[in-house]
Short mmCIF file of all heavy atoms in Angstrom, two decimals:
data_model
loop_
_atom_site.label_atom_id
_atom_site.label_comp_id
_atom_site.label_asym_id
_atom_site.label_seq_id
_atom_site.Cartn_x
_atom_site.Cartn_y
_atom_site.Cartn_z
N ASP A 26 134.48 63.61 133.04
CA ASP A 26 133.27 63.28 133.82
C ASP A 26 133.26 64.01 135.16
O ASP A 26 133.09 63.41 136.22
CB ASP A 26 133.17 61.77 134.03
CG ASP A 26 131.77 61.35 134.49
OD1 ASP A 26 130.86 62.20 134.48
OD2 ASP A 26 131.59 60.18 134.88
N THR A 27 133.42 65.33 135.08
CA THR A 27 133.31 66.19 136.27
C THR A 27 132.17 67.18 136.04
O THR A 27 132.40 68.36 135.75
CB THR A 27 134.64 66.92 136.55
OG1 THR A 27 135.09 67.57 135.34
CG2 THR A 27 135.71 65.95 137.01
N PRO A 28 130.92 66.72 136.16
CA PRO A 28 129.78 67.55 135.80
C PRO A 28 129.61 68.80 136.66
O PRO A 28 128.95 69.75 136.24
CB PRO A 28 128.59 66.60 135.96
CG PRO A 28 129.05 65.55 136.91
CD PRO A 28 130.51 65.37 136.62
N GLN A 29 130.18 68.79 137.86
CA GLN A 29 130.01 69.96 138.72
C GLN A 29 130.57 71.22 138.06
O GLN A 29 130.06 72.32 138.27
CB GLN A 29 130.68 69.73 140.08
CG GLN A 29 130.24 70.72 141.15
CD GLN A 29 128.75 70.64 141.46
OE1 GLN A 29 128.20 69.54 141.62
NE2 GLN A 29 128.08 71.78 141.55
N THR A 30 131.61 71.06 137.25
CA THR A 30 132.17 72.20 136.52
C THR A 30 131.13 72.81 135.60
O THR A 30 131.04 74.04 135.46
CB THR A 30 133.40 71.77 135.72
OG1 THR A 30 134.39 71.26 136.62
CG2 THR A 30 134.00 72.94 134.94
N LEU A 31 130.34 71.97 134.96
CA LEU A 31 129.30 72.47 134.06
C LEU A 31 128.12 73.03 134.83
O LEU A 31 127.54 74.05 134.44
CB LEU A 31 128.85 71.37 133.10
CG LEU A 31 129.93 70.96 132.10
CD1 LEU A 31 130.52 69.62 132.45
CD2 LEU A 31 129.40 70.98 130.68
N ILE A 32 127.77 72.39 135.94
CA ILE A 32 126.69 72.90 136.78
C ILE A 32 127.05 74.29 137.30
O ILE A 32 126.20 75.19 137.37
CB ILE A 32 126.42 71.92 137.94
CG1 ILE A 32 125.81 70.62 137.40
CG2 ILE A 32 125.51 72.55 138.99
CD1 ILE A 32 125.75 69.49 138.40
N ASP A 33 128.33 74.48 137.64
CA ASP A 33 128.81 75.77 138.16
C ASP A 33 129.41 76.64 137.05
O ASP A 33 130.32 77.43 137.31
CB ASP A 33 129.87 75.52 139.24
CG ASP A 33 129.31 74.80 140.45
OD1 ASP A 33 128.10 74.91 140.72
OD2 ASP A 33 130.10 74.11 141.14
N TYR A 34 128.91 76.52 135.83
CA TYR A 34 129.51 77.19 134.68
C TYR A 34 129.66 78.70 134.87
O TYR A 34 130.60 79.33 134.35
CB TYR A 34 128.73 76.89 133.41
CG TYR A 34 127.39 77.59 133.30
CD1 TYR A 34 127.27 78.83 132.67
CD2 TYR A 34 126.24 77.03 133.84
CE1 TYR A 34 126.05 79.48 132.57
CE2 TYR A 34 125.02 77.66 133.75
CZ TYR A 34 124.93 78.89 133.12
OH TYR A 34 123.71 79.53 133.03
N GLU A 35 128.77 79.30 135.64
CA GLU A 35 128.82 80.76 135.81
C GLU A 35 130.08 81.20 136.56
O GLU A 35 130.45 82.37 136.50
CB GLU A 35 127.57 81.25 136.54
CG GLU A 35 126.31 81.13 135.69
CD GLU A 35 125.05 81.53 136.45
OE1 GLU A 35 124.82 80.99 137.54
OE2 GLU A 35 124.33 82.41 135.95
N SER A 36 130.75 80.27 137.24
CA SER A 36 131.97 80.62 137.98
C SER A 36 133.11 81.00 137.05
O SER A 36 134.13 81.52 137.50
CB SER A 36 132.40 79.45 138.88
OG SER A 36 132.80 78.34 138.10
N LEU A 37 132.95 80.76 135.75
CA LEU A 37 133.99 81.16 134.80
C LEU A 37 133.96 82.65 134.49
O LEU A 37 134.73 83.13 133.66
CB LEU A 37 133.89 80.36 133.50
CG LEU A 37 134.83 79.15 133.45
CD1 LEU A 37 134.32 78.06 134.37
CD2 LEU A 37 134.99 78.64 132.04
N GLY A 38 133.09 83.39 135.13
CA GLY A 38 133.09 84.84 135.02
C GLY A 38 132.73 85.34 133.64
O GLY A 38 131.73 84.94 133.04
N ASP A 39 133.57 86.23 133.10
CA ASP A 39 133.27 86.86 131.82
C ASP A 39 133.14 85.86 130.68
O ASP A 39 132.32 86.03 129.78
CB ASP A 39 134.34 87.90 131.48
CG ASP A 39 134.20 89.17 132.30
OD1 ASP A 39 133.15 89.37 132.94
OD2 ASP A 39 135.16 89.98 132.31
N ALA A 40 133.96 84.81 130.70
CA ALA A 40 133.88 83.80 129.64
C ALA A 40 132.51 83.14 129.63
O ALA A 40 131.93 82.89 128.57
CB ALA A 40 134.98 82.76 129.81
N ALA A 41 131.96 82.88 130.82
CA ALA A 41 130.62 82.29 130.92
C ALA A 41 129.55 83.32 130.56
O ALA A 41 128.59 83.00 129.83
CB ALA A 41 130.39 81.77 132.32
N ARG A 42 129.70 84.54 131.04
CA ARG A 42 128.70 85.57 130.79
C ARG A 42 128.57 85.85 129.29
O ARG A 42 127.46 86.05 128.77
CB ARG A 42 129.09 86.85 131.53
CG ARG A 42 128.12 88.01 131.33
CD ARG A 42 128.57 89.24 132.12
NE ARG A 42 129.92 89.65 131.75
CZ ARG A 42 130.20 90.40 130.66
NH1 ARG A 42 129.21 90.78 129.84
NH2 ARG A 42 131.44 90.74 130.39
N LEU A 43 129.69 85.84 128.57
CA LEU A 43 129.66 86.11 127.14
C LEU A 43 129.27 84.88 126.33
O LEU A 43 128.60 84.99 125.31
CB LEU A 43 131.04 86.61 126.69
CG LEU A 43 131.44 87.99 127.21
CD1 LEU A 43 132.92 88.24 126.99
CD2 LEU A 43 130.60 89.07 126.52
N SER A 44 129.65 83.71 126.78
CA SER A 44 129.35 82.48 126.05
C SER A 44 127.93 82.02 126.27
O SER A 44 127.32 81.40 125.38
CB SER A 44 130.31 81.37 126.48
OG SER A 44 131.64 81.69 126.17
N VAL A 45 127.38 82.30 127.45
CA VAL A 45 126.02 81.88 127.81
C VAL A 45 125.24 83.10 128.29
O VAL A 45 124.90 83.21 129.48
CB VAL A 45 126.05 80.77 128.89
CG1 VAL A 45 124.65 80.20 129.12
CG2 VAL A 45 127.01 79.66 128.51
N PRO A 46 124.96 84.05 127.39
CA PRO A 46 124.19 85.22 127.82
C PRO A 46 122.77 84.88 128.25
O PRO A 46 122.16 85.61 129.01
CB PRO A 46 124.20 86.12 126.57
CG PRO A 46 124.49 85.20 125.43
CD PRO A 46 125.36 84.13 125.97
N GLY A 47 122.26 83.75 127.75
CA GLY A 47 121.00 83.18 128.20
C GLY A 47 121.21 81.68 128.32
O GLY A 47 121.89 81.08 127.49
N ALA A 48 120.63 81.06 129.35
CA ALA A 48 120.96 79.66 129.64
C ALA A 48 120.24 78.66 128.75
O ALA A 48 120.55 77.47 128.79
CB ALA A 48 120.63 79.35 131.10
N ASP A 49 119.29 79.12 127.92
CA ASP A 49 118.43 78.18 127.20
C ASP A 49 119.19 77.17 126.34
O ASP A 49 118.84 75.99 126.29
CB ASP A 49 117.42 78.94 126.33
CG ASP A 49 118.04 79.99 125.43
OD1 ASP A 49 119.23 80.27 125.57
OD2 ASP A 49 117.29 80.54 124.59
N HIS A 50 120.26 77.60 125.65
CA HIS A 50 120.98 76.69 124.78
C HIS A 50 122.00 75.82 125.52
O HIS A 50 122.46 74.82 124.98
CB HIS A 50 121.67 77.46 123.65
CG HIS A 50 120.74 77.79 122.52
ND1 HIS A 50 119.73 78.72 122.65
CD2 HIS A 50 120.64 77.30 121.26
CE1 HIS A 50 119.07 78.79 121.52
NE2 HIS A 50 119.58 77.94 120.66
N PHE A 51 122.35 76.21 126.74
CA PHE A 51 123.32 75.44 127.52
C PHE A 51 122.66 74.35 128.36
O PHE A 51 123.20 73.25 128.52
CB PHE A 51 124.10 76.40 128.44
CG PHE A 51 125.22 75.75 129.19
CD1 PHE A 51 126.44 75.49 128.58
CD2 PHE A 51 125.07 75.38 130.52
CE1 PHE A 51 127.48 74.88 129.28
CE2 PHE A 51 126.10 74.78 131.23
CZ PHE A 51 127.31 74.52 130.60
#
């Protein structure tokens, strides 16, 4: 229950960029 991690998902760098190339499904 630490939602800020999900709100700041882009901070994961390449893992976020490749996993969420568009935010619609996230």
Side-chain angles (χ1 to χ4, degrees):
D26 195 9
T27 51
Q29 195 62 45
T30 300
L31 292 106
I32 291 169
D33 296 334
Y34 73 92
E35 291 176 306
S36 67
L37 263 73
D39 285 346
R42 179 179 58 81
L43 292 166
S44 298
V45 188
D49 52 351
H50 279 70
F51 186 80

